[in-house]
Amino acid sequence: MVDVVEPLMVIAAHQGIKAQSGLVEQVWKTIARGQAHDSSGGCNSDVTNRDIYQRGNNALQLATSLRDYLLRKLASSSAPSLNVFFWNPTIQSVTRTGQITVATRDKYFALKDEHGLPVTYEVLRQVQVDDAVLRRDKTQEKPMIYYQTTIAVPLVMKAMDWVGFTLESAQQAVPLRSDSTTIRNEYYTLSFTNGELKLTDNRTGQSFVNPIHFDDGGDEGDTYDYSPAYQDWLINLTLEEAEVTGHQGKLVSELSFKGGWHLPKDLSDRAAKKANVILPYTLELKLLANDPVIHFKLTVDNNILDHRLRLILTTPVHAQYSFADTPFGVAKRPVVDPHLNDWQAIGYHEEPTGLRPMIHFANTHDPITSWTFLGLGEKECQLIGQHFEQLAVTMFRGVGYLGRPDLKRRPGDASGLQTRYVPTPDSQLLGRQQLEGGICLDEQFNPAEIQQRVQALAIGDLSYQKQTLNRFTTPLQYFPINANQTALEHQPSLRLNTRDLVISSVTATSDQAGYLVRVYNPTSDSCEDPGVFEFAWLASVRLLTLNHETKETVATSVSHYQLTPFKAGEIRTYGIYPLNNDVAASKG
């Protein structure tokens, strides 16, 4: 919602599509109904969790439908020659590699930009589809062949703007990517040889052998708390025996690891040190052109009970503190709590663990290097190892009870209900689990830059193809819509040039008269040169409260506005009001 739907509605308003604020409110209310005290953490019975899951799924479906509708509606009024589109919903310009799956009648095709110039693209995957009308007698079906092709395209987009392409038939195929178990881009080289994964930072020349592995340990906790098994067996999981394939391209390169880890089925087998079940997994590492993020996707078919699976990044940092983001900042926490060894003696009811919460990223750094995991749902991290050089990120944990008494980390009564065990088999998370995110290495730790990378991962590709071959690209694609009556034009209305601030949200005001832009300084240092707003029209700028009430007007009738210095951790909400007083009427 924050990264895609709300800013996309602002863009749509500039293209003559009236904002449906009631739908946005409905989504947020549905989300809020799943965010009660225990609900947000999943500390419930299975019946309650299923209800909360359904509320979240309802909100997600509505938000996704809003996104899909707007992308289609915006494209409906474009120039007839354009049929492939990408959108940038942020208030910063972007240069990146985009991906889209297109439907074409012919196997080969070409791309041209808005000026009719050829565009070099890359084919990632292609499948042939037969869209024949179904008949009981298959011999009576008349083949209707088309091709679904996933391609990568180089993109340069202004803030809150779009790019369009013309896809047309061609006689020749584009060169395919080469098969290789060594992949590289401008930032990194990843290679897998003789059972070893090697990561090289191309900027510094430093190499790291097996920087990525996993571990799996017993979890005799409950839905409230992780707690190691009383008879635990922590198993190191490597990629050594994986089946590895790879593709090197100019825009997208990938390494894929497929294998199975031998693990104990449950706590009894773990206590007996019987690794009698194979946990199937696939790990995908992807490099994009000019992208400082190693894209990460782990898929497992979980068939293990009461366990915790973690990703381990082995770094050169000997850490004293861990770093993770909070709603509007960064938390710096010691890797070992000072009361770890005397917590019971001083009256603590739970062990003060080094296991830490995260929202979007976990980081470890020193004065010369910074290693970060970017999460798309992962919420827990810890620095481990002899020198606390390993950044461990929980992929998932599975447990079978709402509350358990006398945990190793939390002695005493069970959480939730103290007088009975409430089984929660759904919380074992059996079946397919998919975890995604990114890994990045930097010279310095810059939390604003890291949050921008997380946002890019969360947004993904906002793309659309005008076509009639595949009517099932989205749930809405099958149904006709009225074309937008306003011709699609480039209108990069608002831009913020900043390196040190995090852009938290961009929405329209409730009366559609302007924009709300919330930014904050995530660091414990003041920011003397925070950045500049640039407008496509004359506007007034107001400083607002978090409730969007005007505190003061800081500029009138300006085309740009220099932000004043930010204090450490400061949050500001700006109201930006075009002088025509109507976001939707800016075309005039």
PDB file of all heavy atoms in Angstrom, residues 108-130:
ATOM      1  N   TYR A 108       9.663 -14.713 -31.954  1.00  0.00           N
ATOM      2  CA  TYR A 108      10.686 -13.674 -31.918  1.00  0.00           C
ATOM      3  C   TYR A 108      10.032 -12.306 -32.017  1.00  0.00           C
ATOM      4  O   TYR A 108       9.036 -12.116 -32.730  1.00  0.00           O
ATOM      5  CB  TYR A 108      11.677 -13.858 -33.068  1.00  0.00           C
ATOM      6  CG  TYR A 108      12.287 -15.240 -33.132  1.00  0.00           C
ATOM      7  CD1 TYR A 108      12.347 -15.943 -34.335  1.00  0.00           C
ATOM      8  CD2 TYR A 108      12.788 -15.845 -31.988  1.00  0.00           C
ATOM      9  CE1 TYR A 108      12.904 -17.210 -34.396  1.00  0.00           C
ATOM     10  CE2 TYR A 108      13.340 -17.108 -32.033  1.00  0.00           C
ATOM     11  CZ  TYR A 108      13.389 -17.793 -33.242  1.00  0.00           C
ATOM     12  OH  TYR A 108      13.931 -19.046 -33.280  1.00  0.00           O
ATOM     13  N   PHE A 109      10.608 -11.343 -31.329  1.00  0.00           N
ATOM     14  CA  PHE A 109      10.049  -9.995 -31.342  1.00  0.00           C
ATOM     15  C   PHE A 109      11.149  -8.988 -31.025  1.00  0.00           C
ATOM     16  O   PHE A 109      12.226  -9.338 -30.524  1.00  0.00           O
ATOM     17  CB  PHE A 109       8.899  -9.863 -30.337  1.00  0.00           C
ATOM     18  CG  PHE A 109       9.238 -10.311 -28.943  1.00  0.00           C
ATOM     19  CD1 PHE A 109       9.810  -9.441 -28.022  1.00  0.00           C
ATOM     20  CD2 PHE A 109       8.989 -11.622 -28.543  1.00  0.00           C
ATOM     21  CE1 PHE A 109      10.125  -9.857 -26.746  1.00  0.00           C
ATOM     22  CE2 PHE A 109       9.300 -12.049 -27.256  1.00  0.00           C
ATOM     23  CZ  PHE A 109       9.869 -11.162 -26.355  1.00  0.00           C
ATOM     24  N   ALA A 110      10.850  -7.732 -31.334  1.00  0.00           N
ATOM     25  CA  ALA A 110      11.789  -6.637 -31.079  1.00  0.00           C
ATOM     26  C   ALA A 110      11.116  -5.601 -30.193  1.00  0.00           C
ATOM     27  O   ALA A 110       9.887  -5.511 -30.122  1.00  0.00           O
ATOM     28  CB  ALA A 110      12.227  -6.000 -32.394  1.00  0.00           C
ATOM     29  N   LEU A 111      11.937  -4.814 -29.509  1.00  0.00           N
ATOM     30  CA  LEU A 111      11.454  -3.706 -28.687  1.00  0.00           C
ATOM     31  C   LEU A 111      12.015  -2.401 -29.224  1.00  0.00           C
ATOM     32  O   LEU A 111      13.191  -2.324 -29.604  1.00  0.00           O
ATOM     33  CB  LEU A 111      11.900  -3.870 -27.233  1.00  0.00           C
ATOM     34  CG  LEU A 111      11.064  -4.702 -26.258  1.00  0.00           C
ATOM     35  CD1 LEU A 111      11.651  -4.585 -24.861  1.00  0.00           C
ATOM     36  CD2 LEU A 111       9.607  -4.285 -26.255  1.00  0.00           C
ATOM     37  N   LYS A 112      11.174  -1.368 -29.224  1.00  0.00           N
ATOM     38  CA  LYS A 112      11.616  -0.021 -29.569  1.00  0.00           C
ATOM     39  C   LYS A 112      11.159   0.939 -28.480  1.00  0.00           C
ATOM     40  O   LYS A 112      10.123   0.729 -27.843  1.00  0.00           O
ATOM     41  CB  LYS A 112      11.038   0.408 -30.915  1.00  0.00           C
ATOM     42  CG  LYS A 112      11.556  -0.404 -32.100  1.00  0.00           C
ATOM     43  CD  LYS A 112      10.957   0.089 -33.408  1.00  0.00           C
ATOM     44  CE  LYS A 112      11.490  -0.718 -34.589  1.00  0.00           C
ATOM     45  NZ  LYS A 112      10.883  -0.268 -35.872  1.00  0.00           N
ATOM     46  N   ASP A 113      11.939   1.998 -28.264  1.00  0.00           N
ATOM     47  CA  ASP A 113      11.553   2.976 -27.252  1.00  0.00           C
ATOM     48  C   ASP A 113      10.544   3.964 -27.826  1.00  0.00           C
ATOM     49  O   ASP A 113      10.073   3.814 -28.966  1.00  0.00           O
ATOM     50  CB  ASP A 113      12.782   3.675 -26.672  1.00  0.00           C
ATOM     51  CG  ASP A 113      13.525   4.535 -27.696  1.00  0.00           C
ATOM     52  OD1 ASP A 113      12.955   4.846 -28.768  1.00  0.00           O
ATOM     53  OD2 ASP A 113      14.686   4.897 -27.424  1.00  0.00           O
ATOM     54  N   GLU A 114      10.208   4.983 -27.061  1.00  0.00           N
ATOM     55  CA  GLU A 114       9.176   5.932 -27.478  1.00  0.00           C
ATOM     56  C   GLU A 114       9.590   6.773 -28.678  1.00  0.00           C
ATOM     57  O   GLU A 114       8.748   7.414 -29.312  1.00  0.00           O
ATOM     58  CB  GLU A 114       8.805   6.829 -26.295  1.00  0.00           C
ATOM     59  CG  GLU A 114       8.163   6.064 -25.145  1.00  0.00           C
ATOM     60  CD  GLU A 114       7.986   6.912 -23.900  1.00  0.00           C
ATOM     61  OE1 GLU A 114       7.376   7.997 -24.017  1.00  0.00           O
ATOM     62  OE2 GLU A 114       8.460   6.510 -22.822  1.00  0.00           O
ATOM     63  N   HIS A 115      10.884   6.778 -28.989  1.00  0.00           N
ATOM     64  CA  HIS A 115      11.377   7.514 -30.155  1.00  0.00           C
ATOM     65  C   HIS A 115      11.593   6.599 -31.353  1.00  0.00           C
ATOM     66  O   HIS A 115      12.136   7.028 -32.374  1.00  0.00           O
ATOM     67  CB  HIS A 115      12.679   8.227 -29.803  1.00  0.00           C
ATOM     68  CG  HIS A 115      12.570   9.138 -28.622  1.00  0.00           C
ATOM     69  ND1 HIS A 115      11.866  10.320 -28.657  1.00  0.00           N
ATOM     70  CD2 HIS A 115      13.055   9.017 -27.354  1.00  0.00           C
ATOM     71  CE1 HIS A 115      11.928  10.906 -27.467  1.00  0.00           C
ATOM     72  NE2 HIS A 115      12.640  10.137 -26.665  1.00  0.00           N
ATOM     73  N   GLY A 116      11.202   5.337 -31.215  1.00  0.00           N
ATOM     74  CA  GLY A 116      11.349   4.394 -32.312  1.00  0.00           C
ATOM     75  C   GLY A 116      12.722   3.767 -32.425  1.00  0.00           C
ATOM     76  O   GLY A 116      13.015   3.086 -33.415  1.00  0.00           O
ATOM     77  N   LEU A 117      13.576   3.962 -31.426  1.00  0.00           N
ATOM     78  CA  LEU A 117      14.925   3.406 -31.461  1.00  0.00           C
ATOM     79  C   LEU A 117      14.941   2.003 -30.853  1.00  0.00           C
ATOM     80  O   LEU A 117      14.223   1.733 -29.884  1.00  0.00           O
ATOM     81  CB  LEU A 117      15.887   4.316 -30.697  1.00  0.00           C
ATOM     82  CG  LEU A 117      16.013   5.749 -31.238  1.00  0.00           C
ATOM     83  CD1 LEU A 117      16.919   6.575 -30.336  1.00  0.00           C
ATOM     84  CD2 LEU A 117      16.526   5.734 -32.672  1.00  0.00           C
ATOM     85  N   PRO A 118      15.759   1.099 -31.401  1.00  0.00           N
ATOM     86  CA  PRO A 118      15.804  -0.273 -30.881  1.00  0.00           C
ATOM     87  C   PRO A 118      16.275  -0.308 -29.430  1.00  0.00           C
ATOM     88  O   PRO A 118      17.141   0.465 -29.015  1.00  0.00           O
ATOM     89  CB  PRO A 118      16.816  -0.968 -31.804  1.00  0.00           C
ATOM     90  CG  PRO A 118      16.892  -0.116 -33.019  1.00  0.00           C
ATOM     91  CD  PRO A 118      16.629   1.286 -32.572  1.00  0.00           C
ATOM     92  N   VAL A 119      15.696  -1.220 -28.660  1.00  0.00           N
ATOM     93  CA  VAL A 119      16.058  -1.425 -27.258  1.00  0.00           C
ATOM     94  C   VAL A 119      16.605  -2.839 -27.103  1.00  0.00           C
ATOM     95  O   VAL A 119      15.964  -3.811 -27.517  1.00  0.00           O
ATOM     96  CB  VAL A 119      14.839  -1.229 -26.334  1.00  0.00           C
ATOM     97  CG1 VAL A 119      15.194  -1.579 -24.889  1.00  0.00           C
ATOM     98  CG2 VAL A 119      14.323   0.198 -26.431  1.00  0.00           C
ATOM     99  N   THR A 120      17.773  -2.942 -26.512  1.00  0.00           N
ATOM    100  CA  THR A 120      18.358  -4.256 -26.251  1.00  0.00           C
ATOM    101  C   THR A 120      17.711  -4.853 -25.006  1.00  0.00           C
ATOM    102  O   THR A 120      17.718  -4.241 -23.939  1.00  0.00           O
ATOM    103  CB  THR A 120      19.872  -4.146 -26.037  1.00  0.00           C
ATOM    104  OG1 THR A 120      20.468  -3.602 -27.222  1.00  0.00           O
ATOM    105  CG2 THR A 120      20.480  -5.512 -25.760  1.00  0.00           C
ATOM    106  N   TYR A 121      17.140  -6.032 -25.154  1.00  0.00           N
ATOM    107  CA  TYR A 121      16.533  -6.707 -24.017  1.00  0.00           C
ATOM    108  C   TYR A 121      17.121  -8.108 -23.910  1.00  0.00           C
ATOM    109  O   TYR A 121      17.889  -8.554 -24.765  1.00  0.00           O
ATOM    110  CB  TYR A 121      15.007  -6.759 -24.150  1.00  0.00           C
ATOM    111  CG  TYR A 121      14.501  -7.646 -25.264  1.00  0.00           C
ATOM    112  CD1 TYR A 121      14.191  -8.988 -25.032  1.00  0.00           C
ATOM    113  CD2 TYR A 121      14.327  -7.148 -26.555  1.00  0.00           C
ATOM    114  CE1 TYR A 121      13.732  -9.802 -26.049  1.00  0.00           C
ATOM    115  CE2 TYR A 121      13.867  -7.959 -27.578  1.00  0.00           C
ATOM    116  CZ  TYR A 121      13.571  -9.284 -27.322  1.00  0.00           C
ATOM    117  OH  TYR A 121      13.126 -10.096 -28.332  1.00  0.00           O
ATOM    118  N   GLU A 122      16.745  -8.810 -22.856  1.00  0.00           N
ATOM    119  CA  GLU A 122      17.303 -10.134 -22.594  1.00  0.00           C
ATOM    120  C   GLU A 122      16.172 -11.114 -22.303  1.00  0.00           C
ATOM    121  O   GLU A 122      15.259 -10.802 -21.519  1.00  0.00           O
ATOM    122  CB  GLU A 122      18.244 -10.053 -21.390  1.00  0.00           C
ATOM    123  CG  GLU A 122      19.241 -11.174 -21.268  1.00  0.00           C
ATOM    124  CD  GLU A 122      20.371 -10.745 -20.333  1.00  0.00           C
ATOM    125  OE1 GLU A 122      20.155 -10.715 -19.105  1.00  0.00           O
ATOM    126  OE2 GLU A 122      21.460 -10.421 -20.838  1.00  0.00           O
ATOM    127  N   VAL A 123      16.210 -12.278 -22.940  1.00  0.00           N
ATOM    128  CA  VAL A 123      15.211 -13.313 -22.693  1.00  0.00           C
ATOM    129  C   VAL A 123      15.653 -14.158 -21.503  1.00  0.00           C
ATOM    130  O   VAL A 123      16.745 -14.723 -21.495  1.00  0.00           O
ATOM    131  CB  VAL A 123      15.016 -14.207 -23.931  1.00  0.00           C
ATOM    132  CG1 VAL A 123      14.107 -15.391 -23.599  1.00  0.00           C
ATOM    133  CG2 VAL A 123      14.424 -13.400 -25.079  1.00  0.00           C
ATOM    134  N   LEU A 124      14.788 -14.245 -20.490  1.00  0.00           N
ATOM    135  CA  LEU A 124      15.079 -15.053 -19.308  1.00  0.00           C
ATOM    136  C   LEU A 124      14.413 -16.424 -19.389  1.00  0.00           C
ATOM    137  O   LEU A 124      15.011 -17.430 -19.025  1.00  0.00           O
ATOM    138  CB  LEU A 124      14.613 -14.324 -18.046  1.00  0.00           C
ATOM    139  CG  LEU A 124      15.143 -12.893 -17.860  1.00  0.00           C
ATOM    140  CD1 LEU A 124      14.660 -12.322 -16.536  1.00  0.00           C
ATOM    141  CD2 LEU A 124      16.656 -12.847 -17.946  1.00  0.00           C
ATOM    142  N   ARG A 125      13.167 -16.455 -19.866  1.00  0.00           N
ATOM    143  CA  ARG A 125      12.435 -17.710 -20.011  1.00  0.00           C
ATOM    144  C   ARG A 125      11.406 -17.541 -21.117  1.00  0.00           C
ATOM    145  O   ARG A 125      10.879 -16.448 -21.316  1.00  0.00           O
ATOM    146  CB  ARG A 125      11.711 -18.095 -18.710  1.00  0.00           C
ATOM    147  CG  ARG A 125      12.608 -18.661 -17.627  1.00  0.00           C
ATOM    148  CD  ARG A 125      11.900 -18.764 -16.299  1.00  0.00           C
ATOM    149  NE  ARG A 125      11.575 -17.451 -15.761  1.00  0.00           N
ATOM    150  CZ  ARG A 125      12.451 -16.682 -15.114  1.00  0.00           C
ATOM    151  NH1 ARG A 125      13.694 -17.097 -14.941  1.00  0.00           N
ATOM    152  NH2 ARG A 125      12.090 -15.509 -14.643  1.00  0.00           N
ATOM    153  N   GLN A 126      11.088 -18.654 -21.802  1.00  0.00           N
ATOM    154  CA  GLN A 126      10.031 -18.626 -22.808  1.00  0.00           C
ATOM    155  C   GLN A 126       9.318 -19.970 -22.831  1.00  0.00           C
ATOM    156  O   GLN A 126       9.962 -21.019 -22.805  1.00  0.00           O
ATOM    157  CB  GLN A 126      10.586 -18.314 -24.199  1.00  0.00           C
ATOM    158  CG  GLN A 126       9.495 -18.128 -25.255  1.00  0.00           C
ATOM    159  CD  GLN A 126      10.049 -17.728 -26.610  1.00  0.00           C
ATOM    160  OE1 GLN A 126      10.691 -18.538 -27.277  1.00  0.00           O
ATOM    161  NE2 GLN A 126       9.808 -16.480 -27.017  1.00  0.00           N
ATOM    162  N   VAL A 127       7.981 -19.921 -22.847  1.00  0.00           N
ATOM    163  CA  VAL A 127       7.183 -21.142 -22.947  1.00  0.00           C
ATOM    164  C   VAL A 127       6.140 -20.956 -24.042  1.00  0.00           C
ATOM    165  O   VAL A 127       5.656 -19.849 -24.292  1.00  0.00           O
ATOM    166  CB  VAL A 127       6.483 -21.490 -21.614  1.00  0.00           C
ATOM    167  CG1 VAL A 127       7.498 -21.822 -20.538  1.00  0.00           C
ATOM    168  CG2 VAL A 127       5.567 -20.360 -21.163  1.00  0.00           C
ATOM    169  N   GLN A 128       5.812 -22.064 -24.698  1.00  0.00           N
ATOM    170  CA  GLN A 128       4.765 -22.054 -25.718  1.00  0.00           C
ATOM    171  C   GLN A 128       3.437 -22.419 -25.068  1.00  0.00           C
ATOM    172  O   GLN A 128       3.357 -23.356 -24.275  1.00  0.00           O
ATOM    173  CB  GLN A 128       5.106 -23.047 -26.825  1.00  0.00           C
ATOM    174  CG  GLN A 128       4.076 -23.119 -27.942  1.00  0.00           C
ATOM    175  CD  GLN A 128       4.490 -24.080 -29.038  1.00  0.00           C
ATOM    176  OE1 GLN A 128       5.437 -23.825 -29.767  1.00  0.00           O
ATOM    177  NE2 GLN A 128       3.780 -25.195 -29.148  1.00  0.00           N
ATOM    178  N   VAL A 129       2.388 -21.669 -25.403  1.00  0.00           N
ATOM    179  CA  VAL A 129       1.067 -21.872 -24.814  1.00  0.00           C
ATOM    180  C   VAL A 129       0.068 -22.143 -25.929  1.00  0.00           C
ATOM    181  O   VAL A 129       0.068 -21.452 -26.955  1.00  0.00           O
ATOM    182  CB  VAL A 129       0.622 -20.634 -24.007  1.00  0.00           C
ATOM    183  CG1 VAL A 129      -0.769 -20.851 -23.418  1.00  0.00           C
ATOM    184  CG2 VAL A 129       1.627 -20.313 -22.916  1.00  0.00           C
ATOM    185  N   ASP A 130      -0.771 -23.147 -25.722  1.00  0.00           N
ATOM    186  CA  ASP A 130      -1.852 -23.433 -26.664  1.00  0.00           C
ATOM    187  C   ASP A 130      -3.161 -22.957 -26.043  1.00  0.00           C
ATOM    188  O   ASP A 130      -3.633 -23.510 -25.048  1.00  0.00           O
ATOM    189  CB  ASP A 130      -1.918 -24.932 -26.965  1.00  0.00           C
ATOM    190  CG  ASP A 130      -2.918 -25.252 -28.081  1.00  0.00           C
ATOM    191  OD1 ASP A 130      -3.628 -24.324 -28.518  1.00  0.00           O
ATOM    192  OD2 ASP A 130      -2.986 -26.425 -28.497  1.00  0.00           O
TER     193      ASP A 130
END
